[in-house]
Amino acid sequence: MTARLALRKVVMTLALPVVLVAAWWIATADSTSFFWPPLEDIVRTFPETWTADRWLHDVLPSLGRLGIGYAVALVAGIAFGTAIGLSKTLRALTEPTLEFFRAVPPPVLVPVIALFTGYTSSLSKVGTIALGCVWPILLNAVDGVRGLEPVLLDTAQTYRLGRWRRLTYVILPGASPRIVAGARQALSIGVILMVISELFGANRGLGATIVQFQRSFAVPQMWTGIILLGLIGVALSVLFRLIENRVLAWYHGQREIERGA
Amino acid sequence: MSTTIPVAGPAAARARSAPARRTRASRVSWTDVGLGTLGALVVVGVEELITRTGIVDASYLPPFTTILGELGHQLGQPEFWQSFGQTLSGWAIGLAIATALGVTVGVIIGSVPLLRELTASTIEFLRPIPSVALIPLVVLLWGTRPASSIFLVVYAAVWQVLVQVLYGVADVDPVARDTARSYRFSRWRVARSVVWPTALPYVVTGFRLAASVALILEITSELIIGVPGLGRDIGVAQSSGAVAKTYALVIVVGLIGVAVNLATRYVERRVLSWHPSMRRAV
């Protein structure tokens, strides 16, 4: 019986994707349209387009910049967010300003940062990613800290937990579900900025390569780039979920129990 | 199903924090307003100081008063208002299409368990695909016409609505559903008076998220592709060395973002005024 259920689940998961890919394959099989080359051609072009050299000089550096920028945003966002969340005065002082900076669409950071560092330096790209990613993390950290159960804080105080212990055992874990939610939003902004930060000036990188294909009308290659970028997006979200499930295992468990009750 | 929780998170978190926000909204504390203004003034003042004294080169970052002057000048230009309108209309059209599409598809898929099961993996796969990956394609298809930006806006925004609607429809109380069935409610009636009220808070959350994502993509496609609008003006101003204008337009775009956030929160409060999460704690 369980084997049948498992089989059913596999069929349910794979059925639609298989149908869609097959439809794409068949619909474009004899395509002579310039923009929609046969999927077969795209698949065949994939390995010859994304060679070891491209991975080494375009794809991996892009991902590296994303990683560094994202890490900076995480540290800064959690640090400042926690500090602001803990102080009522600081919160009142910074709230309108933060509301404004959060509302600025992150891509406009690219030309602004380019004023300082030009378009091609790594610093400008990492800076763009970090500056764009920091707001959702910071604001969620503020909300997370502010939404802490007062009983928890009072208990911590009653037990005379020190500042540091209160922070690491009560405040940060308590705020972590919100921080993770912010980090997830930030990740998709980070991917967008990773691509956009490479689109101006003479650049190398994943985004720059794909646009290069488009400008030189190498359409099948461009499609492989779109697919690769899509796969990277999916891979990052799977990775994020794995990490999240570890970090928030206690929280998900708690929610499950609350729901069952 | 553990993966569903974080996505439902905003709604759940909102439900918890709503009473606090409600009191904050209804009883504006003048100390907070004063402190907030003070904070903004400090930022502006420090910026003015470091640029006037030459700590930061004014050709990278002009003093705030210069930017403000340029902003005032821009507000008198018909070209500015034309771009302003183009940006807003692209955003609004894209958001409207995404919302309509997300709600319709979401309600249909969400109400049929088989469809739900069949589409889950595809939605999970398509959603994280960054919409900027499609930029080269839309450039080839439509160039700098508004269709390019609208397509990207719809692609990015529709997932926010769709996923929230799916959670909303799944959240319907089984007892309410069974009761409706016992009373022999028609399908339409069930959808209207049982499913819709349950899903509405999620729809509104999805709409709020979609509204800001839509603005990001509208500005992005103007900036990157060159679709007419404020984003393109920022790019042009930057590359032609009009530094003050660049910052002035960035401020305008930021203010549009703030306005969008405030407006969607207002809509949320209006539409959900009956909902427990929005009611004042007694």
Side-chain angles (χ1 to χ4, degrees):
Chain A
M1 195 56 194
T2 44
R4 268 191 63 187
L5 275 179
L7 182 70
R8 185 187 144 85
K9 193 165 163 50
V10 170
V11 170
M12 283 296 179
T13 310
L14 293 180
L16 188 60
V18 167
V19 168
L20 288 178
V21 172
W24 185 0
W25 189 285
I26 293 165
T28 58
D30 310 310
S31 166
T32 49
S33 159
F34 182 68
F35 300 131
W36 310 96
L39 183 55
E40 201 185 336
D41 289 3
I42 299 174
V43 172
R44 218 181 30 239
T45 338
F46 200 96
E48 60 198 55
T49 307
W50 299 99
T51 54
D53 177 65
R54 279 246 160 75
W55 277 95
L56 213 58
H57 295 291
D58 292 309
V59 181
L60 294 179
S62 287
L63 291 176
R65 286 190 293 265
L66 173 64
I68 298 171
Y70 189 66
V72 170
L74 264 183
V75 173
I78 294 174
F80 287 108
T82 311
I84 294 171
L86 284 175
S87 154
K88 199 173 166 323
T89 322
L90 207 54
R91 216 158 56 219
L93 209 54
T94 53
E95 201 169 22
T97 315
L98 292 179
E99 281 287 330
F100 174 77
F101 280 111
R102 172 186 58 173
V104 174
V108 305
L109 295 172
V110 179
V112 170
I113 289 179
L115 284 171
F116 292 88
T117 58
Y119 278 125
T120 46
S121 75
S122 257
L123 183 68
S124 77
K125 292 170 207 155
V126 171
T128 308
I129 294 168
L131 256 180
C133 290
V134 76
W135 305 112
I137 303 173
L138 194 155
L139 288 154
N140 274 289
V142 171
D143 278 354
V145 170
R146 210 177 53 175
L148 280 178
E149 185 74 47
V151 177
L152 278 179
L153 291 175
D154 293 347
T155 311
Q157 192 143 28
T158 312
Y159 279 101
R160 299 216 177 165
L161 289 188
R163 229 168 222 283
W164 180 249
R165 287 200 154 184
R166 222 165 33 201
L167 189 68
T168 50
Y169 285 109
V170 181
I171 295 167
L172 284 180
S176 61
R178 285 304 297 271
I179 295 176
V180 169
R184 186 187 308 100
Q185 275 178 37
L187 185 62
S188 44
I189 293 179
V191 176
I192 292 180
L193 289 176
M194 172 188 86
V195 175
I196 291 177
S197 63
E198 297 167 358
L199 297 188
F200 297 89
N203 257 314
R204 288 203 73 166
L206 181 56
T209 309
I210 297 173
V211 169
Q212 204 51 48
F213 290 143
Q214 172 240 315
R215 293 203 178 125
S216 55
F217 293 101
V219 175
Q221 283 81 352
M222 178 194 89
W223 272 104
T224 63
I226 293 177
I227 292 172
L228 179 64
L229 206 46
L231 290 176
I232 288 176
V234 174
L236 286 176
S237 89
V238 170
L239 189 68
F240 189 94
R241 188 173 302 160
L242 286 179
I243 295 173
E244 177 191 322
N245 282 345
R246 277 193 76 104
V247 174
L248 292 186
W250 62 273
Y251 175 71
H252 292 164
Q254 190 183 329
R255 293 275 304 221
E256 212 93 312
I257 292 168
E258 278 171 13
R259 284 194 173 183
Chain B
M1 285 304 276
S2 62
T3 52
T4 66
I5 291 160
V7 184
R14 185 164 39 73
R16 268 182 271 119
S17 69
R21 193 200 288 164
R22 182 75 207 204
T23 26
R24 192 155 51 104
S26 51
R27 245 185 327 120
V28 177
S29 147
W30 288 107
T31 358
D32 282 4
V33 172
L35 282 173
T37 319
L38 181 68
L41 284 178
V42 167
V43 172
V44 169
V46 167
E47 197 270 352
E48 184 83 24
L49 198 71
I50 57 171
T51 47
R52 288 278 178 209
T53 54
I55 296 174
V56 172
D57 192 340
S59 59
Y60 297 149
L61 180 65
F64 186 74
T65 41
T66 315
I67 300 175
L68 214 59
E70 176 61 31
L71 183 60
H73 170 70
Q74 285 300 319
L75 293 182
Q77 305 289 318
E79 292 85 11
F80 168 83
W81 290 108
Q82 196 190 349
S83 300
F84 187 85
Q86 283 160 335
T87 298
L88 280 193
S89 76
W91 168 78
I93 295 172
L95 181 60
I97 298 176
T99 308
L101 204 64
V103 170
T104 320
V105 176
V107 168
I108 294 173
I109 293 179
S111 326
V112 184
L114 182 70
L115 276 181
R116 231 183 126 76
E117 248 183 299
L118 270 175
T119 52
S121 60
T122 311
I123 292 175
E124 282 305 302
F125 182 80
L126 291 178
R127 191 158 63 109
I129 293 178
S131 41
V132 286
L134 300 170
I135 286 180
L137 182 67
V138 299
V139 170
L140 285 185
L141 290 177
W142 297 297
T144 59
R145 272 175 283 163
S148 290
S149 68
I150 291 174
F151 181 86
L152 291 178
V153 168
V154 170
Y155 184 86
V158 76
W159 302 111
Q160 311 283 345
V161 182
L162 176 63
V163 170
Q164 288 292 329
V165 173
L166 286 179
Y167 288 123
V169 175
D171 198 32
V172 171
D173 186 354
V175 176
R177 198 191 280 274
D178 292 348
T179 310
R181 186 185 302 192
S182 307
Y183 280 104
R184 299 215 177 169
F185 276 23
S186 68
R187 218 170 241 278
W188 168 245
R189 191 75 202 278
V190 171
R192 218 181 64 84
S193 21
V194 180
V195 176
W196 183 244
T198 314
L200 193 58
Y202 292 85
V203 174
V204 176
T205 302
F207 177 76
R208 191 160 47 85
L209 297 172
S212 52
V213 168
L215 183 66
I216 293 178
L217 263 295
E218 175 65 29
I219 298 290
T220 305
S221 35
E222 290 167 5
L223 187 68
I224 306 288
I225 306 176
V227 177
L230 290 172
R232 185 176 74 166
D233 293 354
I234 291 175
V236 171
Q238 195 272 350
S239 55
S240 61
V243 180
K245 188 179 173 189
T246 311
Y247 282 100
L249 292 177
V250 167
I251 289 178
V252 171
V253 170
L255 291 178
I256 295 179
V258 173
V260 166
N261 288 344
L262 290 178
T264 48
R265 267 181 234 165
Y266 175 75
V267 169
E268 190 170 33
R269 272 210 301 278
R270 282 299 294 266
V271 174
L272 297 181
S273 52
W274 53 272
H275 195 269
S277 73
M278 289 289 150
R279 265 186 253 143
R280 198 190 300 253
V282 185

